[in-house]
Amino acid sequence: MANIKSQKKRIRTNEKARIRNRAVRSELKTLIKNVQAAVEEGNAEAAKTAAARAYKRLDQAAAKGIIHKNQAANRKSGVARIVKGLN
């Protein structure tokens, strides 16, 4: 354990950020699974709605530095490919 006061605070804040980031990453996975489920059902409208929600959350996660911007772009591309396959 650190002896320096600022380092103790850094440990606490890093832990809070880690937990928050883990929750966001989990949410991203869930949103992408929702798109896949809508496509498997053949529901184009639900798939497009779920894809739009996933795009927004991916962009937000990239903006906050939770995932890299290229990772967000790759995931958005994958979601678009899934939805396009429905047509």
Side-chain angles (χ1 to χ4, degrees):
M1 183 66 188
N3 292 325
I4 301 166
K5 189 174 182 180
S6 61
Q7 188 58 35
K8 289 179 181 180
K9 181 176 180 181
R10 225 30 236 158
I11 290 169
R12 288 195 308 270
T13 57
N14 285 343
E15 182 63 15
K16 288 178 187 176
R18 185 186 70 83
I19 292 169
R20 184 171 49 246
N21 292 346
R22 187 176 60 182
V24 172
R25 285 192 202 103
S26 176
E27 181 187 10
L28 294 176
K29 290 177 189 176
T30 302
L31 291 170
I32 292 170
K33 286 178 186 176
N34 291 344
V35 174
Q36 291 173 337
V39 169
E40 288 174 4
E41 291 174 4
N43 190 343
E45 189 62 35
K48 288 179 183 177
T49 304
R53 188 176 300 135
Y55 293 155
K56 182 176 180 179
R57 294 300 288 165
L58 284 164
D59 286 337
Q60 288 175 342
K64 290 181 182 279
I66 296 170
I67 61 173
H68 193 274
K69 64 177 186 172
N70 291 350
Q71 176 68 276
N74 287 337
R75 291 188 190 189
K76 285 169 61 176
S77 171
V79 168
R81 195 176 322 120
I82 293 169
V83 174
K84 184 179 178 184
L86 184 62
N87 297 334

